[in-house]
Amino acid sequence: MASNPNYVKKQIAVDTVSWTAVVAPYDCMGVSIKNSVFVDLKVRTDSGDATTQDTISAGSIETIASPRHSGGVQDGGSGTRFYSGDTIAYLQAASGTGPALVTFVR
């Protein structure tokens, strides 16, 4: 039996060659990326722009948590930060391969 659909975890395969997109499976307010491998994980908000790059150290977690808001704030008041199908970030392993564990919260 599946858990509540407002809370979803996905493993995303990453390697040292390509930038792998983290895509929202549904409209969500919170996203967490856990580096579950023993090497650093590179994260970018633009896969082609190194100035948007940061590092998630081995065993660490990066979280984006946004409260709901009233109408007229940045996104027309929908209250959703990431829409279904939005690319949230791009991931790449610093060396080797492995999964990143991503959690989405509606």
Side-chain angles (χ1 to χ4, degrees):
M1 176 193 307
S3 66
N4 188 305
N6 293 322
Y7 177 74
V8 172
K9 289 186 174 283
K10 291 188 176 272
Q11 283 193 358
I12 298 176
V14 293
D15 59 41
T16 59
V17 178
S18 56
W19 287 97
T20 304
V22 175
V23 178
Y26 52 70
D27 293 354
C28 58
M29 297 297 294
V31 178
S32 175
I33 303 169
K34 179 180 180 182
N35 182 354
S36 56
V37 296
F38 296 110
V39 297
D40 288 346
L41 188 64
K42 296 185 261 183
V43 58
R44 287 185 181 178
T45 54
D46 181 337
S47 62
D49 184 355
T51 66
T52 69
Q53 184 171 311
D54 198 359
T55 300
I56 303 173
S57 300
S60 295
I61 299 172
E62 179 160 320
T63 300
I64 304 164
S66 303
R68 293 196 178 271
H69 60 76
S70 60
V73 179
Q74 293 185 342
D75 60 7
S78 71
T80 298
R81 295 293 185 224
F82 302 106
Y83 294 104
S84 179
D86 279 357
T87 298
I88 297 167
Y90 297 89
L91 304 175
Q92 186 180 71
S95 64
T97 60
L101 181 61
V102 183
T103 303
F104 302 91
V105 179
R106 204 179 297 236

